[in-house]
Amino acid sequence: MSKTPTHRPDIRNLPVALLLIMCVFSVGWSQPQSPYRRAIEVALEAKQIDGDETVQVSLLMPGLASKDAADVRVVAEDGTLVPMTIVRDGRADDRVILVFNPIKNKSKYFAYWGGKDADKDAGKPAPPANITSGLLVETKRAPDGPNDSIKQLQARYDRAGDVLGRGMIDRLFVGHQPAGIDGATISKVTGTLFAPIDGEYQFALSADDRGGIRLDGKDLVFAPGFPDDIRFNTKITLKRGLHAVEYFHLDTGGDWRVSLGWRRPDTAQVDPISGDAFGRFARAKVGVLEQQKSPVSADFEASWMGECIVAERSTYRVRFDAIYPLKSTNIRANWSFGDGQSASGTKVEHVFLSPGVYEITLDLKTTQGGEKRTFRLD
């Protein structure tokens, strides 16, 4: 981190959902090797961005990116490559989730991807994002080994193989596996914690099955279990500001649970640490799918409308809104939902009778051209 701010940006009043914008920035194609892109606009005024934020976005990349999303790059409006980490790649479906660090005083960006041998042609890889808002969870399959200290948990993580999954959480108060991996796992959680005032803090930790946390690179608390009290605790003096967090978690199967609490200098008891202390994400608006040298791209917005559960069977209602150039006329949109059903119209609703990954095909025709494209959605 280049510097330690004395406060976090006040972004609590920003919309929680990622918003869709119907227009794109009037700039050239700065990554000619990548034929596809989406515009991203950070939902903060440029003058409010100091470069220490973390932005999370969800991007629909319909069968156009490499499965591990190694070809995806985020660049500023002027083409500058920005630090970025893929949280969810395209192996499950065509939705990629990533986090990136914006550049000071810059609010407009593009995500580029795709093309033949995309991951080889994408050019210089982006450096990993510095997680200053939220907490990044990286999970591996747990190898055998001792687990009686933070050092031993880290050694098991370092000896493990590749990362099987990633996830973002807003606090260390979790009752499920954030990366969605079952079985015996070892995970590392990284981020920052904001101490609001100078003084003595008491930290308490519970973890199922084992967990250990470091602050600013120093061992803080190790928890060899998940009691309903604060027996695994310690006290430490902190200065007001951001402090680097590193947490290791061993799960041998069953529940993946962790609870981290603190007693601040200005409070009387140990309480769970809220998401505010780990930083709120700077939200962003995501633009339409663009492709190089083509005026029209088949694209849509999918909106969750509701769920019905009957006798352990779930059905889901989703609204689909086709996206097309604003000046288009004579628009025709035909849909296939991957379950034998179809519909016509620019705005349609569909009920899926069971969960799963479906191939949604949109055949879009306008006065400016047309395109037929299939999206894999979970």
Side-chain angles (χ1 to χ4, degrees):
M1 189 183 306
S2 59
K3 60 188 178 70
T4 301
T6 56
H7 66 283
R8 291 191 185 274
D10 184 9
I11 52 178
R12 289 172 293 179
N13 294 324
L14 294 177
V16 174
L18 298 180
L19 302 176
L20 186 71
I21 52 177
M22 302 300 294
C23 58
V24 297
F25 314 136
S26 301
V27 299
W29 208 276
S30 66
Q31 304 289 304
Q33 77 282 357
S34 300
Y36 306 102
R37 73 179 186 182
R38 287 187 186 273
I40 301 170
E41 185 169 8
V42 179
L44 290 171
E45 293 183 19
K47 63 183 180 181
Q48 294 179 294
I49 298 174
D50 60 20
D52 283 310
E53 296 84 4
T54 304
V55 181
Q56 178 174 245
V57 290
S58 177
L59 303 166
L60 189 57
M61 300 178 175
L64 307 174
S66 60
K67 293 300 182 183
D68 60 0
D71 57 319
V72 179
R73 299 290 182 271
V74 175
V75 300
E77 191 176 15
D78 61 3
T80 302
L81 188 68
V82 302
M84 177 202 77
T85 295
I86 299 294
V87 176
R88 183 180 189 270
D89 61 25
R91 298 179 209 197
D93 64 2
D94 289 333
R95 194 174 299 280
V96 172
I97 299 175
L98 60 85
V99 293
F100 70 93
N101 297 130
I103 298 172
K104 185 175 182 179
N105 297 326
K106 293 184 182 295
S107 61
K108 297 181 179 180
Y109 299 83
F110 285 97
Y112 285 89
W113 73 91
K116 184 179 179 181
D117 296 325
D119 53 343
K120 298 177 182 179
D121 296 338
K124 181 181 178 182
N130 184 19
I131 306 300
T132 55
S133 299
L135 298 165
L136 174 66
V137 183
E138 297 178 289
T139 297
K140 301 179 179 181
R141 190 64 64 199
D144 294 334
N147 52 32
D148 295 321
S149 68
I150 298 174
K151 183 177 179 179
Q152 290 178 350
L153 291 182
Q154 181 182 12
R156 290 183 68 172
Y157 182 86
D158 291 343
R159 286 191 294 104
D162 295 336
V163 173
L164 300 179
R166 294 183 174 89
M168 293 297 299
I169 56 178
D170 64 352
R171 70 196 74 188
L172 280 170
F173 190 81
V174 183
H176 64 278
Q177 216 297 329
I181 308 299
D182 296 326
T185 60
I186 186 79
S187 302
K188 181 172 73 171
V189 180
T190 53
T192 60
L193 175 69
F194 181 67
I197 57 177
D198 295 351
E200 183 183 77
Y201 290 74
Q202 182 181 18
F203 287 86
L205 178 68
S206 293
D208 184 2
D209 295 282
R210 295 283 193 277
I213 187 169
R214 290 193 178 121
L215 208 60
D216 296 325
K218 298 179 180 179
D219 290 1
L220 187 64
V221 185
F222 174 72
F226 197 89
D228 56 1
D229 54 44
I230 62 168
R231 70 186 69 174
F232 305 123
N233 73 89
T234 193
K235 295 178 181 179
I236 186 175
T237 299
L238 297 177
K239 291 289 187 181
R240 183 178 190 272
L242 295 180
H243 298 270
V245 170
E246 190 175 47
Y247 171 74
F248 293 94
H249 187 97
L250 174 68
D251 180 36
T252 60
D255 292 334
W256 197 106
R257 295 186 296 170
V258 58
S259 176
L260 178 67
W262 66 359
R263 178 187 57 77
R264 301 176 357 178
D266 57 344
T267 60
Q269 63 184 22
V270 175
D271 293 309
I273 302 179
S274 70
D276 287 330
F278 295 107
R280 298 287 187 182
F281 286 115
R283 301 298 179 181
K285 302 174 184 179
V286 177
V288 300
L289 174 65
E290 300 177 76
Q291 53 184 322
Q292 208 171 7
K293 302 177 182 180
S294 177
V296 177
S297 293
D299 193 18
F300 63 82
E301 181 184 21
S303 303
W304 180 272
M305 301 298 290
E307 176 182 5
C308 180
I309 302 176
V310 178
E312 299 183 354
R313 181 178 178 179
S314 299
T315 62
Y316 308 90
R317 184 162 60 96
V318 181
R319 189 182 74 190
F320 295 91
D321 292 87
I323 300 172
Y324 44 84
L326 294 177
K327 296 182 180 180
S328 296
T329 58
N330 193 27
I331 302 157
R332 290 169 290 168
N334 295 303
W335 306 80
S336 174
F337 299 108
D339 58 359
Q341 303 298 311
S342 60
S344 297
T346 58
K347 299 179 185 294
V348 299
E349 291 189 6
H350 182 69
V351 175
F352 295 93
L353 299 180
S354 62
V357 177
Y358 290 90
E359 294 188 349
I360 313 299
T361 299
L362 170 61
D363 187 358
L364 181 68
K365 293 181 173 61
T366 77
T367 52
Q368 294 176 280
E371 184 181 56
K372 184 177 182 179
R373 191 172 299 284
T374 297
F375 302 72
R376 295 170 57 248
L377 287 183
D378 186 352

